[in-house]
Amino acid sequence: MEPVCTVVGHVRKSETGDTWIEIADKFWEAALQIERFSHIIVLWWITGRDNPESRANLSDYPPQENAELSGVFASRSPARPTPIGHSIVAITKVDTEGHRIHIDQIDAHDETPVVDIKPYMPSSDKVDDARVPSWFKDNVPRYTS
Amino acid sequence: MEPVCTVVGHVRKSETGDTWIEIADKFWEAALQIERFSHIIVLWWITGRDNPESRANLSDYPPQENAELSGVFASRSPARPTPIGHSIVAITKVDTEGHRIHIDQIDAHDETPVVDIKPYMPSSDKVDDARVPSWFKDNVPRYTS
């Protein structure tokens, strides 16, 4: 049995800079209580890399300076066997009538399929003092001071 | 085009309590440099809930005391439209010869298919001061003090 994802909505970006996830009407019930969380984990499909060549890519050089050749399990390369994107984002507004979850930003294009949303829970998702290789140490932090 | 995941390995648990991810030989190259990270994000397939009934589930009561009815995007319920699991775990040892990534724990059974592994990067994955509903506030933190 193949692991086949269900598309539950799409990333939308307006020309004025608004960003939201438009949940398909039939899945809106799944967003009940989501406004009680400040942040969510969005799993999305990297459609632009869902081709045999990109899915056969196993290692490449991360774009950071001085990065060493890295396997795709040790990088966020979009070209990987399962082209699934993972973004932690902040909820800015929940539009119950429009079935939209407005968010602050996401590294995904307009119309990108979203396959799952999970609430961000510090108890399981936050790691203090995680170690990363030197080439990722200067990445600009998004939600930490 | 359906979003179909690639199985890159499996969770393994020994009777003595060892836990690891066994990467399929053809995908081992993707683990290059993974030992430079202390933690990884493991995406796995919840095979026990990959059935039409579970995938039609959109809301239920989280097991925590006083939890209110919640959509599955606002809970970690395994019964959800895309039955994908998300675990942040600590790497304890990388066995290059055996193609195994040993980890401290994972909320997945022995033989669970793993569909992707991403490195945990504080810059994008760590959120200070995330808000959660009251029923999740007493969850025991795993990697924070």
Side-chain angles (χ1 to χ4, degrees), chain B residues 1-12:
Chain B
M1 191 165 57
E2 275 192 319
V4 181
C5 297
T6 299
V7 176
V8 297
H10 290 85
V11 170
R12 297 305 317 272

Side-chain angles (χ1 to χ4, degrees), chain A residues 19-80:
Chain A
T19 302
W20 67 91
I21 301 166
E22 195 152 279
I23 303 293
D25 292 349
K26 64 180 281 202
F27 293 115
W28 181 247
E29 179 190 334
L32 184 66
Q33 308 285 1
I34 204 161
E35 73 284 356
R36 310 281 284 260
F37 295 88
S38 59
H39 294 74
I40 50 176
I41 301 166
V42 181
L43 297 176
W44 45 279
W45 203 251
I46 312 172
T47 47
R49 304 303 173 101
D50 190 358
N51 58 67
E53 298 71 34
S54 296
R55 295 185 69 149
N57 181 56
L58 297 181
S59 63
D60 48 26
Y61 284 88
Q64 283 78 9
E65 205 179 342
N66 299 319
E68 295 178 29
L69 181 68
S70 300
V72 296
F73 299 160
S75 84
R76 293 297 185 90
S77 174
R80 51 200 307 120

